[in-house]
Amino acid sequence: MARKNFRSTAVAAVAATALFALGACSSGSSANTGDGAEGNGDDLITIGFAQVGAESGWRTANTKSIQDTLTTENGFDLKFSDAQQKQENQIQAIRSYIAQNVDVIAFSPVVESGWDAVLQDAKDAGIPVILTDRAVDSEDDSLYVSFIGSDFVEEGHRVGEWVSENLGTESINVVELQGTTGSAPAIDRKEGFEDAIAGNSNVTVIDSQTGNFTRAEGKTVMEGFLQAHDDIDVVFAHNDDMGLGAIEAIEAAGKKPGVDIKIVTIDGVKDGMTALADGKFNYIVECNPLLGPDLAEIAKKVVAGESVEKRIVTHDDAFDQEGAKAALPNRQY
Ligand code: GYE
């Protein structure tokens, strides 16, 4: 698959194409009018950002980072839209940014497939596209100039390794709360986790369903798991919010989260780190949502016609219960 090959090339510096540079300069709100008038709006880079939604604490922190960074003081005129986790809404938002002839389009694709047509339209209009957070599975990687975000396979792998080494010393049953079906983080975190536990026959995934990255759906799916299985040892939730929903379901069933049923998750948002410090979660692999500064830098370079890195992988930490207690006071999100 193109995306996987592309990913294995890690950080490759490539030049932004002349086409994109040209498109940026000829667009409606030109980045540099040369009239020397600072701060009158003409100098601003107009950027359309099509966000996934507001499904999780991670997303809230990500949106805040983008809105706090792409400000007029920092040289941007940000047009922001929330797709409520629907691909058709995101496509509509991107089409409207193309019609407005913005300088740059950025978005976090809710699912991996189905973007080629709208990305081709943006390319034909000479508007560069920057992917943030999630990948697309397009074969043609000239449809976007850069992709900024975490390595989700690696995140799932790190969780699986921790489970295998710390809990898989005896026979354990795992249930999995998957993220949004068809999204890059759900596909990749599942793959990484499965790969990491593959060599340990003590670890068995007995059930796996989507909770769509939300607390409410995580809770509902966990209630179903608890009704269907009386031998669950570990919950692997693809994000903190679904893990937090699982806590509610486990407590309602009269069991102790973190003790009777262990919970491992990905994200590391404040509520997740608090649950970890309180002993209700057992391990979190962080996923850094603060993508605003990298996005601002790449957007400025692209508009200036400079070369940009095709793939920027953000750094993620990992925390056990003691680590969470130490890190919590200084957490930014
Ligand atoms: O882990 C989850 C959010 O795409 C990395 O989306 C993001 C994921 C994040 O809903 O909480």
Side-chain angles (χ1 to χ4, degrees):
M1 191 194 264
R3 185 173 56 81
K4 307 289 176 196
N5 295 341
F6 158 61
R7 192 166 269 162
S8 67
T9 62
V11 179
V14 294
T17 63
L19 173 72
F20 281 134
L22 207 73
C25 291
S26 63
S27 76
S29 53
S30 169
N32 214 329
T33 55
D35 61 7
E38 281 291 323
N40 64 358
D42 284 347
D43 310 280
L44 300 176
I45 295 171
T46 304
I47 182 164
F49 190 92
Q51 181 60 290
V52 169
E55 74 280 5
S56 64
W58 189 98
R59 190 64 55 196
T60 305
N62 178 247
T63 292
K64 184 170 186 313
S65 171
I66 287 156
Q67 290 178 334
D68 285 355
T69 318
L70 302 181
T71 58
T72 46
E73 297 77 54
N74 201 12
F76 291 95
D77 174 12
L78 172 64
K79 298 174 187 304
F80 184 90
S81 56
D82 173 337
Q84 301 184 324
Q85 285 190 289
K86 292 203 178 78
Q87 182 173 32
E88 70 250 37
N89 292 348
Q90 262 191 324
I91 290 176
Q92 208 175 25
I94 294 167
R95 288 209 188 287
S96 117
Y97 297 145
I98 296 172
Q100 293 170 60
N101 204 15
V102 298
D103 297 313
V104 180
I105 292 171
F107 79 115
S108 172
V110 59
V111 289
E112 281 194 340
S113 2
W115 299 102
D116 288 21
V118 70
L119 291 181
Q120 188 63 53
D121 287 351
K123 188 177 173 184
D124 292 347
I127 302 173
V129 172
I130 301 169
L131 302 178
T132 67
D133 161 33
R134 298 183 182 179
V136 296
D137 67 0
S138 301
E139 297 285 327
D140 178 3
D141 74 5
S142 78
L143 294 175
Y144 53 92
V145 290
S146 188
F147 167 34
I148 306 162
S150 295
D151 181 338
F152 301 138
V153 177
E154 177 64 19
E155 290 172 348
H157 201 273
R158 289 171 78 181
V159 177
E161 258 176 5
W162 189 87
V163 166
S164 183
E165 282 165 19
N166 293 278
L167 310 176
T169 45
E170 54 192 55
S171 183
I172 51 165
N173 290 329
V174 180
V175 291
E176 181 180 29
L177 292 167
Q178 294 180 40
T180 302
T181 305
S183 71
I187 295 167
D188 292 354
R189 288 170 181 171
K190 183 174 180 45
E191 178 191 317
F193 183 85
E194 281 171 359
D195 186 55
I197 61 166
N200 186 344
S201 56
N202 278 339
V203 185
T204 312
V205 178
I206 56 167
D207 216 335
S208 178
Q209 279 177 45
T210 181
N212 205 20
F213 282 131
T214 69
R215 205 176 285 208
E217 285 174 77
K219 181 182 177 200
T220 308
V221 175
M222 189 66 207
E223 284 166 355
F225 285 162
L226 286 162
Q227 272 161 19
H229 314 279
D230 56 12
D231 52 355
I232 300 170
D233 300 301
V234 178
V235 178
F236 167 38
H238 286 192
N239 78 342
D240 286 350
D241 282 81
M242 293 189 295
L244 293 162
I247 288 180
E248 292 175 32
I250 292 167
E251 286 177 340
K255 294 190 174 174
K256 260 188 130 185
V259 180
D260 300 329
I261 297 180
K262 312 271 197 292
I263 305 177
V264 292
T265 72
I266 296 171
D267 270 358
V269 295
K270 197 61 59 57
D271 288 354
M273 293 289 277
T274 305
L276 185 58
D278 289 349
K280 296 186 176 189
F281 278 0
N282 301 82
Y283 192 64
I284 297 179
V285 170
E286 180 185 47
C287 180
N288 190 344
L290 307 179
L291 305 181
D294 277 342
L295 173 58
E297 192 188 323
I298 295 294
K300 281 185 177 172
K301 281 188 181 167
V302 167
V303 169
E306 292 172 26
S307 66
V308 294
E309 288 167 1
K310 191 83 189 185
R311 174 73 168 115
I312 295 167
V313 183
T314 35
H315 172 77
D316 298 324
D317 276 322
F319 302 91
D320 59 14
Q321 292 171 341
E322 288 313 309
K325 280 181 206 159
L328 253 180
N330 302 317
R331 276 316 260 182
Q332 282 184 61
Y333 54 89

